[in-house]
Amino acid sequence: MKKDVAIVGASGYTGIELTKILSRHPHVNLRAVASQTNAGRTLSTIMGVGAPDMKFCSIESKLILKCDVIFSCLPHGAAAKHIVKWRKLGKIVFDLSADFRLKDKEQYKQWYHLDHPAPHMLKDAVYGLPELHREKIKKTSLVACPGCYTTATILGIMPALKAGIISPDIFVSAVSGTSGAGKQAKHEYSYCEVNENLSAYALPNHRHTPEMEQELSLACDHEALVSFVPHLGPFNRGIHATITASLTAATTQEKVTKIYRDFYASAAFVKISEKNPQLKDVVGTNFCLIRPIVDVRTGRLIALSVLDNLIKGASGQAVQCFNIRFKYKENEALDIGPC
């Protein structure tokens, strides 16, 4: 049976990607595509030729409330206020903002500089990383879809941390394409500033840091500490993360590779690579490619983790959670090759 689905905040990069994926999903009736700034315009004016033959509606449209499932691509702060209303009406919500990712309302205030709009709902939200929370996703009505940097980092280092072969003091250096910043009209995201350039930003307090620490700590039953240095790269989309930590004992490359392969043996969209993964391997797909490397000389583990920030790092992962929640094939509408 098909689900009637609405996308709210659909004219941003993640919303557009989500519209593309859901419009080809065989178990979805895409009933409402909402954008406050583009209400009344046809989708083709934003998405181009081949877009669904629909118009954007307002985010207050009654069409949204007629749907079974709502995907929210609204900004943090704004998302939670709408989600409270939707949940009271019994809607199943997949939230791509940061509003329900952190379990502690004080951490939310510390990192997002806002009082949480709905702290009573934090306990009900499930962090939407299928490789860690598949069983909980099957039962929840509110999925908090992870951030892109966070997904690359957690997937890249979790097997080693869970196996106890590394120290929980972790360093991450990651580069994102400019689409990760959304459609903000800021000087630093303009073509002349980004092209032929590479720059670090938002360190040491990038907002994805507490997500990484929360999920790694919960999974391993002890506190994980993450030093995170994000960079803006001169390309449209993709995340390339280099993650390092000290090994707790001498080990071999073969043993570590086996730990990773065993951990992700049943993961539909995580692959362990024998060569250094590149962005061109994953852009346009819902895959995360990981290569763990044992640095014998320094006694450290280096994990390379790459994904498409708009798909596995956002919209594709949300649809992956949707498929799990409603018992569809996990790869439904996500079997797409690299661009």
Side-chain angles (χ1 to χ4, degrees):
M1 182 177 176
K2 290 188 175 184
K3 299 296 179 184
D4 289 338
V5 173
I7 303 170
V8 180
S11 59
Y13 291 130
T14 56
I16 290 171
E17 204 67 49
L18 193 53
T19 303
K20 291 177 181 177
I21 296 169
L22 290 176
S23 65
R24 64 173 178 261
H25 199 296
H27 302 293
V28 167
N29 287 318
L30 191 56
R31 298 296 192 192
V33 181
S35 168
Q36 195 62 24
T37 56
N38 292 286
R41 299 177 66 185
T42 60
L43 268 62
S44 61
T45 60
I46 301 295
M47 295 176 58
V49 176
D53 187 17
M54 301 172 67
K55 288 185 177 181
F56 290 104
C57 62
S58 162
I59 63 173
E60 301 293 345
S61 171
K62 292 181 180 179
L63 286 173
I64 297 166
L65 304 184
K66 293 180 181 179
C67 293
D68 310 304
V69 178
I70 301 172
F71 287 83
S72 175
C73 301
L74 296 171
H76 67 268
K81 296 173 185 177
H82 289 275
I83 290 169
V84 169
K85 174 182 67 178
W86 298 331
R87 284 295 305 120
K88 283 181 179 177
L89 294 172
K91 308 303 178 184
I92 296 175
V93 179
F94 296 83
D95 179 27
L96 281 79
S97 84
D99 277 349
F100 294 98
R101 295 173 186 166
L102 298 176
K103 293 298 183 184
D104 184 343
K105 66 178 183 180
E106 297 304 322
Q107 269 212 328
Y108 181 88
K109 184 174 183 178
Q110 174 187 343
W111 290 87
Y112 290 90
H113 311 296
L114 293 171
D115 289 322
H116 198 283
H120 63 287
M121 292 174 61
L122 292 175
K123 67 180 185 302
D124 299 323
V126 172
Y127 195 75
L129 196 58
E131 293 77 16
L132 295 187
H133 300 302
R134 182 178 308 278
E135 294 307 311
K136 290 181 179 179
I137 291 167
K138 290 178 181 179
K139 302 170 186 176
T140 190
S141 296
L142 175 55
V143 176
C145 300
C148 48
Y149 280 128
T150 316
T151 298
T153 298
I154 293 173
L155 294 179
I157 205 66
M158 177 62 76
L161 194 59
K162 191 95 169 171
I165 65 170
I166 58 167
S167 160
D169 189 352
I170 297 159
F171 176 76
V172 184
S173 177
V175 187
S176 172
T178 53
S179 59
K183 290 188 173 181
Q184 302 178 63
K186 289 187 176 181
H187 172 71
E188 59 264 39
Y189 304 139
S190 65
Y191 177 82
C192 288
E193 295 301 315
V194 174
N195 187 46
E196 298 187 15
N197 194 17
L198 183 68
S199 58
Y201 68 99
L203 60 108
N205 297 312
H206 190 279
R207 289 169 173 171
H208 283 187
T209 305
E211 280 183 60
M212 299 174 189
E213 293 182 339
Q214 171 185 280
E215 293 302 309
L216 292 172
S217 298
L218 286 172
C220 301
D221 296 324
H222 51 76
E223 185 177 1
L225 188 66
V226 176
S227 295
F228 176 43
V229 183
H231 299 76
L232 184 65
F235 48 91
N236 291 341
R237 55 200 290 171
I239 295 278
H240 189 299
T242 303
I243 313 152
T244 69
S246 296
L247 291 162
T248 54
T251 188
T252 66
Q253 182 66 52
E254 290 74 19
K255 287 180 181 178
V256 171
T257 299
K258 186 177 188 305
I259 286 170
Y260 272 73
R261 291 194 188 282
D262 289 349
F263 191 89
Y264 290 122
S266 61
F269 289 106
V270 179
K271 301 296 180 186
I272 307 307
S273 178
E274 294 183 358
K275 63 182 182 69
N276 293 344
Q278 304 176 68
L279 289 184
K280 69 179 183 179
D281 298 327
V282 294
V283 167
T285 82
N286 195 54
F287 283 97
C288 177
L289 292 188
I290 301 166
R291 185 187 182 198
I293 303 165
V294 174
D295 186 346
V296 176
R297 185 182 65 84
T298 63
R300 297 184 68 82
L301 178 72
I302 303 168
L304 304 178
S305 179
V306 301
L307 53 78
D308 186 316
N309 60 298
L310 297 180
I311 305 184
K312 182 57 176 168
S315 302
Q317 183 148 261
V319 175
Q320 189 181 350
C321 290
F322 169 84
N323 289 339
I324 292 167
R325 173 62 177 79
F326 292 106
K327 298 181 175 62
Y328 302 134
K329 292 179 181 177
E330 194 167 334
N331 64 349
E332 202 75 81
L334 295 171
D335 245 350
I336 43 180
C339 295

